Amino acid sequence: MYKYKEVSEGTYVLSLDNHVEICQALGEFCKEKEIYAGAVNGLGAICEATFRFLDPATKQYVDKTFSEQMEITNLTGNISQKPEDPFTPYLHIHITASRRDYSCVGGHLLSARVNGACELVVQDYQENAVLERYFDSGIGLNLYKF
Ligand code: FE
């Protein structure tokens, strides 16, 4: 699903296998390394992706799927955990992707399938860093619990 190299303590460079789903592969990697607090960024190429848009008025996500070849011009996200499910890394990822005509689409990433390459950097905050979330019903989002 992926290959990786630890380039410095807690910082990993990942190369995802072709055709894998990015969120699934990243979740598996975080589980393998027991990363529950961290950050991720990356780039690559995808052929199908579903992005979400949270409508603040309804607090509902509106999903849209793009089935076309795109370049990931930016993928950025964080890794945390929900107290009720502490051993499932909670990924929050946003993405911008460029199309054949060089226009861009993007949003909150629900899923994206690699078609070519996908290169990520994952930073594990390690030590005693704990980043927990709670659901804020007023906003409709899982926010950091600080
Ligand atoms: Fe989001």
Side-chain angles (χ1 to χ4, degrees):
M1 197 171 258
Y2 50 77
K3 293 182 272 300
Y4 70 90
K5 188 174 194 175
E6 188 171 14
V7 292
S8 64
E9 199 183 344
T11 301
Y12 301 89
V13 174
L14 275 75
S15 174
L16 302 191
D17 292 344
N18 205 8
H19 310 308
V20 302
E21 196 284 303
I22 292 174
C23 298
Q24 190 189 354
L26 185 59
E28 289 294 322
F29 175 77
C30 292
K31 255 188 191 165
E32 182 189 329
K33 292 292 169 192
E34 299 181 341
I35 301 171
Y36 302 109
V40 56
N41 67 72
L43 50 77
I46 50 179
C47 60
E48 184 167 80
T50 301
F51 306 147
R52 318 196 89 177
F53 174 85
L54 183 77
D55 184 335
T58 62
K59 298 174 193 164
Q60 298 293 313
Y61 278 108
V62 182
D63 297 345
K64 190 169 171 70
T65 297
F66 296 86
S67 299
E68 59 193 83
Q69 186 69 17
M70 294 179 280
E71 302 283 340
I72 300 171
T73 53
N74 186 51
L75 178 153
T76 189
N78 51 54
I79 303 152
S80 59
Q81 60 190 162
K82 292 205 270 189
E84 64 271 27
D85 190 11
F87 300 112
T88 301
Y90 183 88
L91 305 176
H92 185 198
I93 301 170
H94 284 205
I95 189 168
T96 308
S98 66
R99 312 167 96 170
R100 188 177 288 270
D101 67 359
Y102 303 100
S103 65
C104 286
V105 290
H108 175 113
L109 182 64
L110 190 62
S111 67
R113 191 157 301 281
V114 177
N115 196 35
C118 182
E119 300 174 345
L120 306 175
V121 177
V122 175
Q123 187 186 0
D124 180 2
Y125 293 153
Q126 300 183 315
E127 299 301 318
N128 297 311
V130 175
L131 289 177
E132 287 184 330
R133 290 182 179 273
Y134 73 100
F135 183 71
D136 185 310
S137 56
I139 299 176
L141 287 172
N142 292 304
L143 301 182
Y144 280 133
K145 192 170 114 188
F146 292 153

